[in-house]
Every structure is written in structure tokens, then in C-alpha cells.
């Protein structure tokens, strides 16, 4: 059965800290891995990763995929209170189905 | 600008009521999805639709049905609401193109009393 597991499930840090969120997967016929940020509304798209070892970067956020070890990490540097959210990892399988992890709830304290 | 809208942000219903959740997208996407989101369980797929009048069961279809009469609209129906269907419901749409991501609506928080 296809599965996506995120860790930790929740995290509390202080402004300025760097955080690393983890996503591991077991999916038949992997196509791509997506990261979303969800505040108190709809998930918003952050990154899509398809190739191993190529870092995607957007401001203070970056992500990388390891297709051999079947995981991805999402890094946030110099965290701000506005980074507080649930971060979702999801994997597309060849059938076009998007399988979500449980999410990591990040809380950034001032 | 990409837009997926849902008919209600918050909804309170009683056990046994029939509930309709509406989702509309303006991107001419073929694929549409209904998820529910519960703490600790992530997003779970209820039903999806590849095109008009086509529907497929997701991982947790029990107690739900769907309707897709027009391309832009995908409805989720709770035939007889129960308290264990209290949840956040998220609609999404996407193009079947590999490069496209999935766009989400704002969600409907449904409480069944």
C-alpha cells in the first residue's frame, strides 16, 4: 500500500531558528513529490520535485529529493512567525493519485 | 488567476440530514477531487472525477457520493450525515498534464451534531 510519512508531526521553534521537515515515502511508480503550506485555509503549493539531488529554492525555503533513499526534506532558514503553518508532503504515483502525509505542524514563537 | 471555490466555509448540520458540498473551478481542469482532513491523519481522498459524469472511489468513499454534471462543478453529498463525518473538507482540481500541480479550494469545516 502506498504510504507517505512525515516527521516530526509537530515542532515549536523560535524566530531565527532553522528547521528541517522530513518526508519519507513508499509509492509504486513514483512520479513526483510535492510540498504544500497550509495556514488556516487551503494548502498552497511550494515545490514539486521529480529528480534526485536537485535543490529547489524559494527565498528562505528549500527542498531536495533523494529517490534512492525515498525521502525529501524541506528546510526553512531564519524562521519567522509567518512561517507557522502545517506543511504537507504528497507524492504522485503513476496512476495520477496524490498521496498525502499526515503533515507537520510548525509553530514559530517570537 | 487560479480559482477553486467552495460553497461554504463553515457548516453545521444535524445527524441524519442530507448535506451538499459544492466546489467550482474556473481553470477548465478535467480532474477534480474531494478530500477530508482530520488531525493526525492528513488528507484522505474520498472521491475523484477524471471528467464530466465520471467518478472514481478514493480511499474512504463510505457514506459519501458525488456528482459531476458540468466540468467546472463537483459536488460531494452526505446522504445521511453522521457525527464521524465532522471534518474539514477540501476540494481540488488539476489538469492531467504531468507538470501541473493540484489547486485547492479554501475548505469547508463541517460539524455534524
Amino acid at each position: 500500500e502506498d504510504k507517505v510519512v512525515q516527521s516530526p508531526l509537530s515542532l515549536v521553534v523560535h524566530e531565527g531558528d532553522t528547521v528541517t521537515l522530513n518526508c519519507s515515502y513508499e509509492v509504486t511508480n513514483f512520479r513526483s513529490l510535492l510540498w504544500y503550506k497550509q495556514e488556516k485555509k487551503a494548502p498552497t503549493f511550494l515545490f514539486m520535485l521529480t529528480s534526485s539531488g536537485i535543490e529547489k529554492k524559494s527565498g528562505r525555503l528549500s527542498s531536495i529529493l533523494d529517490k534512492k533513499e525515498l525521502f525529501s526534506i524541506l528546510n526553512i532558514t531564519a524562521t519567522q512567525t509567518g512561517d507557522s503553518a502545517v506543511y504537507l508532503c504528497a507524492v504522485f504515483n503513476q496512476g495520477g493519485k496524490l498521496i498525502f502525509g499526515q503533515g507537520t505542524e510548525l509553530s514559530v514563537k517570537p | 488567476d487560479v480559482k477553486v471555490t467552495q460553497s461554504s466555509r463553515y457548516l453545521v448540520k444535524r445527524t441524519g440530514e442530507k448535506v451538499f458540498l459544492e466546489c467550482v473551478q474556473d481553470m477548465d481542469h478535467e480532474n477534480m477531487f474531494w478530500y477530508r482532513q482530520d488531525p493526525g491523519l492528513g488528507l484522505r481522498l474520498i472521491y475523484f472525477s477524471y471528467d464530466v459524469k465520471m467518478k472514481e472511489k478514493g480511499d474512504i468513499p463510505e457514506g459519501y457520493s458525488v456528482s459531476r454534471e458540468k466540468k467546472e462543478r463537483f459536488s460531494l453529498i452526505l446522504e445521511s450525515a453522521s457525527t464521524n463525518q465532522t471534518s474539514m473538507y477540501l476540494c481540488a482540481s488539476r489538469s492531467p498534464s504531468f507538470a501541473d500541480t493540484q489547486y485547492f479550494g479554501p475548505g469547508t469545516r463541517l460539524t455534524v451534531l
Side-chain angles (χ1 to χ4, degrees):
Chain A
E1 185 185 337
D2 292 344
K3 190 167 62 174
V4 176
V5 177
Q6 292 184 245
S7 64
L9 292 182
S10 66
L11 191 55
V12 180
V13 300
H14 288 95
E15 273 192 314
D17 288 351
T18 293
V19 297
T20 299
L21 310 184
N22 304 292
C23 175
S24 64
Y25 61 91
E26 293 175 28
V27 171
T28 52
N29 299 313
F30 171 92
R31 273 175 45 168
S32 59
L33 184 145
L34 280 67
W35 283 98
Y36 287 88
K37 177 182 181 182
Q38 186 180 22
E39 297 166 273
K40 293 192 186 301
K41 51 186 179 179
T44 53
F45 173 75
L46 293 175
F47 299 112
M48 183 170 78
L49 302 154
T50 55
S51 302
S52 270
I54 299 173
E55 186 183 54
K56 293 275 182 100
K57 203 168 166 61
S58 176
R60 295 176 295 101
L61 277 66
S62 63
S63 183
I64 198 159
L65 174 67
D66 186 329
K67 288 168 75 173
K68 184 179 175 188
E69 299 298 329
L70 308 182
F71 77 91
S72 174
I73 59 172
L74 176 68
N75 275 322
I76 309 174
T77 59
T79 51
Q80 303 170 358
T81 54
D83 295 326
S84 295
V86 175
Y87 291 84
L88 299 168
C89 172
V91 175
F92 267 122
N93 65 14
Q94 199 65 35
K97 187 176 172 184
L98 193 57
I99 301 135
F100 282 86
Q102 322 94 301
T104 294
E105 184 172 11
L106 174 65
S107 179
V108 182
K109 304 291 185 190
Chain B
D1 197 18
V2 167
K3 202 157 186 190
V4 180
T5 56
Q6 294 182 228
S7 50
S8 307
R9 292 299 306 275
Y10 299 94
L11 209 52
V12 179
K13 295 291 182 180
R14 296 210 173 273
T15 302
E17 280 193 77
K18 190 168 186 175
V19 182
F20 292 88
L21 303 183
E22 301 282 336
C23 175
V24 177
Q25 50 95 3
D26 65 358
M27 296 163 284
D28 203 35
H29 282 168
E30 288 86 353
N31 303 162
M32 296 187 75
F33 306 82
W34 274 106
Y35 295 87
R36 64 177 281 177
Q37 185 176 30
D38 300 289
L41 297 176
L43 273 78
R44 293 180 293 167
L45 183 64
I46 305 171
Y47 265 98
F48 60 103
S49 169
Y50 283 126
D51 211 333
V52 178
K53 295 193 187 292
M54 294 176 67
K55 58 186 179 185
E56 295 281 343
K57 291 180 180 178
D59 299 316
I60 50 164
E62 296 78 19
Y64 303 94
S65 62
V66 290
S67 171
R68 184 114 181 255
E69 295 297 318
K70 293 185 178 180
K71 193 175 188 180
E72 67 271 17
R73 189 180 298 268
F74 191 35
S75 303
L76 180 69
I77 303 153
L78 287 66
E79 295 290 342
S80 177
S82 63
T83 54
N84 63 13
Q85 291 178 310
T86 292
S87 187
M88 169 69 86
Y89 289 88
L90 288 161
C91 173
S93 76
R94 71 181 176 97
S95 164
S97 158
F98 174 79
D100 282 358
T101 185
Q102 199 160 286
Y103 297 94
F104 283 88
T108 295
R109 185 165 292 284
L110 172 67
T111 302
V112 182
L113 301 174

